[in-house]
Amino acid sequence: YKADVADEVAKAEEIRGAGIFYDGEFDFFMGENRAGLEKTFYLNEDGTIRIEYDEPMQKMSPLSAQEELAIDTALNVEYIACLMEANLQQS
């Protein structure tokens, strides 16, 4: 399988830090299927693919309205702090 992304675009994305350009043989059907475990693929430094088998992650229960409000508030405070810091650096 060859991705639809041009090599130049893939390399640019790698430089941007959005992923890794890999021009080797790979298939999601590599490795074996183990009952109750999920496959995770890793690209080793030597260019080989490593497969690890782990238990599936537990699904999180939905957040309560209070939890969502707390997260939104924290994100807004962080955003405002970043804006203030950027303004101070420009002065």
Side-chain angles (χ1 to χ4, degrees):
Y1 171 77
K2 180 74 171 168
D4 293 334
V5 178
D7 290 352
E8 302 80 35
V9 173
K11 289 177 185 175
E13 290 295 305
E14 180 177 30
I15 291 168
R16 192 172 67 86
I20 299 293
F21 179 76
Y22 178 69
D23 193 23
E25 292 294 320
F26 176 79
D27 191 324
F28 282 104
F29 295 107
M30 293 169 65
E32 59 189 82
N33 291 326
R34 297 182 184 175
L37 299 177
E38 293 181 346
K39 287 191 278 189
T40 306
F41 298 91
Y42 296 92
L43 179 60
N44 296 320
E45 299 232 355
D46 65 358
T48 59
I49 300 290
R50 178 178 85 250
I51 303 171
E52 292 187 9
Y53 299 87
D54 299 305
E55 291 187 22
M57 292 181 61
Q58 296 288 331
K59 292 189 175 164
M60 293 179 50
S61 58
L63 298 176
S64 69
Q66 185 176 4
E67 290 169 323
E68 286 186 22
L69 180 60
I71 291 170
D72 288 345
T73 302
L75 290 172
N76 285 328
V77 168
E78 181 68 23
Y79 178 71
I80 292 168
C82 288
L83 287 176
M84 291 174 66
E85 183 179 331
N87 284 335
L88 288 174
Q89 290 177 358
Q90 290 179 356
S91 301

